Amino acid sequence: MATKGIPYGLSDYARLSTENYYYVDKTTYILSIEQTASFLFLMRPRRFGKSLLLSMLESYYDINNAERFEELFGERYIFTHETSLRAKFLIMRFDFSMIDSYPTRLESSFEEYCRRQFLVFINKYEHLFKPGFREGVNAQKTADGCLSYINDEASFLGLNIYLIIDEYDNFTNTLLATYGTDVYRDATHGDSFYRHFFAVIKGATGGSGRALKRMFITGVSPITLDDVTSGFNIGTNISANTEFNGLLGFSETELRTMLGYYKEEGLLKAEIDSLVRIMKPWYDNYCFAEDAAGENMYNSDMVLYFVNNYIRTGLPPKQMVDSNIRTDYNKIRHLIRIDKELGGNFSIVKDIIATGQTTATINTSFPADRMVDPNNFKSLLFYFGMLSITGVSRGEPILSIPNQTVREQLYTYLIETYQQSEAFSIDLSRLDALMKAMAYDGQWEPVFTYIAEELNRQSRIRQYIEGEAHVKGFLQAYLGLSNLYMILPEYEANKGYADFYFQPKQPDIPFAYLVEVKYAKRDDSDAKLKALNKEAVTQLHQYANEASVKETLGNAQLKLIRLTFKTWELVGMEEI
């Protein structure tokens, strides 16, 4: 049998099954989904496999697929664990990422798209309804009218409908991020078309004998559903359920199994451990349930992007972050940039970059006009995949930056916000040139000298970088955007933590760096500074001997650098 294809960019389950693509089997969750509740709501970050999950459920429950069970699911867990609900539903599916979010076209685009989806529904299931069904649907003036009519007709005939809505908040998030709260409110409050659409859905789920028996809605946050349903009462939110932590994304076991398959097929020359070691700091460490802390998931889209590239070229991709992921994060940055004057939300992001984590009560429901509440804002970062659960402290989840991909996006957010508020601006092209000389010529001093000079010249920034953590966070943000190094903060080495490990991204870069940053208060004595410098030297030698550092160096020469700051001022630097 031919080697299975990599399903990168594909979200059509039937196509994956019939055209011999590799599939990480999530049908093991079908029984749990059925037993949890009838009307479900799931939040996960973008590019995490939500659309493929919904497509798999559609293929399983569609009444038209009754005779295709083995064709579609013969290789899956569910084939030998069939449930009584298989192929018992008429599937009504929407993908609201297809809606044009430009305000003047929004409602008409929504109506036109829904009409097309109702036509798809009619073409698939008209034979199950009474004569005149198509004409009856077409006679309705609005999308919610069509939905009500279909539900009534199906209820009368004893037919069961499974409603699937993918990306339910895609266009509303764009409205909020691009056009502001007033335009967003017009679409989601009062007698708006979208609010009324969900009112019809809610009505269709109530009462015995109604056709709409099951529902699965996905999105990236609970904001819109809270706004359009007056308090999120339309379904059961399973986003934080421990049993569904692995529903989307790949566990490391699933990843290794996939890599093992392609290794056996002769398409991967590298060892599996080596490939996992490359991917882990970029794509891993997503956890969505408190009780599942430590049971981390890889972003499936990014893994497939990597594996697809590696099989084609025999090398990791030059850009470890998929451009599609970058586009999605750009949208998110606009959405979370609510306080343009460097207020509370900015401070939260700044502190997270500086310390790598925060704590919060993760709220499952809150409206858009309350996103400035600290717990709501942190919850939003969590739902967007910018933070992940890594433990519990004093009864609250510890939320940490999951990986290098997210860290880079947060760095960009911080830098853009500094620039837009005119708090600090640096010539990034000059910094990039200096970083290139650091990477290829070993000239590291000009990089830190340039940053120190700008800190001294642009005095407004100083109020935002008081304290050791903020100084390090500031450096991380600007140095972390280099396409030459993966700059790992607090890099664990030899039972200690180096402040920065500059790990080359490309094998031709001849220099790598371990950097230890020491921070002194304004009134610290010279003796204190000498003690800090001596401590830095000892630590750097300790970290340099760590096996994990040597394994990732390749052919690069490791340089050990000590930086000493007194408040915001760089007062000393040396190569050890």
Side-chain angles (χ1 to χ4, degrees):
M1 186 175 182
T3 302
K4 294 181 183 297
I6 299 290
Y8 171 63
L10 299 181
S11 58
D12 182 343
Y13 175 81
R15 180 181 174 189
L16 263 66
S17 289
T18 58
E19 296 184 13
N20 193 38
Y21 283 92
Y22 192 95
Y23 176 70
V24 174
D25 193 355
K26 299 296 183 178
T27 67
T28 54
Y29 289 93
I30 286 178
L31 181 59
S32 295
I33 289 172
E34 289 186 5
Q35 293 178 340
T36 297
S38 296
F39 308 115
L40 302 178
F41 178 53
L42 177 69
M43 292 173 286
R44 285 292 185 270
R46 295 292 308 278
R47 310 279 174 180
F48 226 88
K50 296 188 295 293
S51 297
L52 180 56
L53 171 71
L54 295 181
S55 180
M56 182 272 286
L57 295 176
E58 178 180 8
S59 292
Y60 182 76
Y61 289 109
D62 192 341
I63 196 170
N64 287 342
N65 288 339
E67 304 304 319
R68 302 182 64 195
F69 189 36
E70 184 170 3
E71 177 191 8
L72 295 174
F73 293 94
E75 296 182 355
R76 315 296 179 226
Y77 169 88
I78 199 65
F79 186 69
T80 55
H81 299 79
E82 179 182 359
T83 69
S84 61
L85 296 182
R86 182 184 73 81
K88 294 295 192 296
F89 294 88
L90 286 60
I91 307 297
M92 183 181 293
R93 183 172 179 180
F94 299 96
D95 176 359
F96 287 150
S97 68
M98 305 299 293
I99 308 301
D100 186 341
S101 59
Y102 192 76
T104 59
R105 294 193 291 268
L106 179 62
E107 185 170 358
S108 61
S109 175
F110 180 84
E111 291 289 334
E112 290 169 6
Y113 171 73
C114 289
R115 288 277 180 179
R116 292 196 299 272
Q117 293 309 105
F118 289 131
L119 179 59
V120 171
F121 183 90
I122 292 168
N123 290 338
K124 289 177 66 176
Y125 305 116
E126 183 179 16
H127 63 285
L128 299 174
F129 288 85
K130 296 185 298 182
F133 174 67
R134 180 183 294 266
E135 292 75 15
V137 176
N138 291 336
Q140 305 306 307
K141 299 184 185 304
T142 61
D144 46 47
C146 293
L147 180 60
S148 293
Y149 179 83
I150 291 172
N151 187 61
D152 289 343
E153 292 297 301
S155 298
F156 179 77
L157 295 171
L159 299 171
N160 298 324
I161 292 176
Y162 201 132
L163 175 63
I164 292 175
I165 301 179
D166 194 12
E167 303 265 14
Y168 92 96
D169 57 347
N170 186 288
F171 71 88
T172 55
N173 284 341
T174 302
L175 282 178
L176 188 59
T178 307
Y179 303 105
T181 54
D182 290 341
V183 175
Y184 169 84
R185 179 174 290 277
D186 289 343
T188 58
H189 289 70
D191 58 354
S192 69
F193 71 93
Y194 203 38
R195 187 180 180 91
H196 195 258
F197 184 79
F198 272 93
V200 171
I201 292 175
K202 182 179 177 182
T205 62
S208 60
R210 305 300 288 167
L212 207 167
K213 291 291 196 300
R214 301 192 76 86
M215 178 173 63
F216 205 118
I217 298 176
T218 70
V220 297
S221 88
I223 296 173
T224 296
L225 203 57
D226 185 277
D227 284 328
V228 299
T229 63
S230 301
F232 184 64
N233 55 4
I234 200 169
T236 300
N237 186 350
I238 63 171
S239 304
N241 287 26
T242 302
E243 64 182 312
F244 295 118
N245 185 64
L247 179 60
L248 296 178
F250 298 158
S251 68
E252 186 158 320
T253 298
E254 290 170 332
L255 170 61
R256 287 178 175 274
T257 300
M258 178 173 66
L259 295 176
Y261 169 79
Y262 287 108
K263 180 79 172 174
E264 291 178 1
E265 292 291 310
L267 297 182
L268 294 176
K269 293 187 172 68
E271 295 301 318
I272 292 174
D273 286 347
S274 174
L275 295 175
V276 171
R277 188 161 53 245
I278 295 171
M279 284 187 273
K280 191 175 185 64
W282 289 94
Y283 308 149
D284 191 18
N285 297 320
Y286 294 95
C287 179
F288 305 101
E290 288 184 42
D291 293 337
E295 299 175 16
N296 298 326
M297 304 301 294
Y298 286 74
N299 181 297
S300 51
D301 181 272
M302 290 193 280
V303 164
L304 294 175
Y305 161 77
F306 179 97
V307 175
N308 183 56
N309 189 284
Y310 202 96
I311 287 178
R312 287 188 300 103
T313 67
L315 295 169
K318 289 186 177 181
Q319 297 296 329
M320 288 292 289
V321 182
D322 184 357
S323 60
N324 292 319
I325 296 288
R326 291 191 187 277
T327 300
D328 289 333
Y329 276 122
N330 285 337
K331 295 177 183 176
I332 290 171
R333 286 205 304 273
H334 287 294
L335 185 57
I336 65 178
R337 190 180 294 117
I338 299 167
D339 51 344
K340 296 180 175 61
E341 296 304 317
L342 304 189
N345 287 348
F346 170 79
S347 297
I348 289 171
V349 172
K350 181 165 66 77
D351 288 344
I352 289 170
I353 290 175
T355 63
Q357 64 181 36
T358 187
T359 59
T361 297
I362 299 174
N363 293 328
T364 58
S365 175
F366 52 91
D369 59 9
R370 294 194 61 190
M371 279 195 293
V372 293
D373 175 88
N375 272 324
N376 289 345
F377 182 66
K378 292 176 185 179
S379 297
L380 191 66
L381 294 177
F382 165 73
Y383 292 126
F384 285 160
M386 310 293 274
L387 295 173
S388 181
I389 297 173
T390 54
V392 177
S393 175
R394 295 176 178 261
E396 286 189 329
I398 300 171
L399 301 176
S400 303
I401 301 173
N403 50 48
Q404 188 70 8
T405 297
V406 173
R407 190 173 285 113
E408 285 187 0
Q409 311 316 310
L410 289 173
Y411 293 163
T412 303
Y413 170 89
L414 191 73
I415 290 170
E416 287 180 351
T417 309
Y418 276 141
Q419 290 176 331
Q420 292 174 3
S421 65
E422 298 182 349
F424 187 76
S425 181
I426 201 169
D427 186 342
L428 294 177
S429 62
R430 180 179 176 186
L431 181 61
D432 182 65
L434 293 175
M435 289 290 292
K436 188 168 293 185
M438 179 180 179
Y440 287 97
D441 303 321
Q443 298 176 9
W444 59 270
E445 298 98 327
V447 171
F448 299 106
T449 299
Y450 176 57
I451 293 176
E453 289 173 347
E454 292 302 308
L455 278 172
N456 187 60
R457 185 175 66 85
Q458 302 183 53
S459 60
R460 190 183 172 205
I461 188 62
R462 298 172 197 167
Q463 63 183 299
Y464 302 110
I465 59 170
E466 285 291 335
E468 181 177 5
H470 289 161
V471 168
K472 293 178 182 178
F474 179 85
L475 291 173
Q476 285 177 39
Y478 283 92
L479 300 175
L481 293 182
S482 169
N483 61 3
L484 302 168
Y485 290 105
M486 181 165 65
I487 299 178
L488 303 177
E490 296 295 329
Y491 187 80
E492 184 173 7
N494 208 17
K495 299 181 180 180
Y497 293 87
D499 287 326
F500 302 111
Y501 174 36
F502 288 65
Q503 180 181 324
K505 288 183 178 179
Q506 303 300 329
D508 68 329
I509 294 177
F511 295 99
Y513 296 85
L514 279 173
V515 178
E516 185 68 17
V517 179
K518 289 303 178 185
Y519 179 87
K521 297 177 181 178
R522 191 178 306 277
D523 57 352
D524 281 345
S525 65
D526 289 343
K528 174 68 171 178
L529 286 174
K530 289 180 180 179
L532 289 173
N533 293 340
K534 183 177 179 181
E535 181 182 47
V537 172
T538 300
Q539 290 172 327
L540 285 168
H541 284 303
Q542 176 183 339
Y543 305 149
N545 289 322
E546 173 61 27
S548 61
V549 173
K550 295 177 179 179
E551 289 173 1
T552 56
L553 273 177
N555 296 321
Q557 175 188 340
L558 181 64
K559 286 178 172 284
L560 309 180
I561 308 300
R562 185 265 303 168
L563 305 177
T564 304
F565 281 83
K566 197 168 189 179
T567 64
W568 50 267
E569 185 180 3
L570 181 61
V571 296
M573 56 180 177
E574 69 171 329
E575 181 175 344
I576 307 304

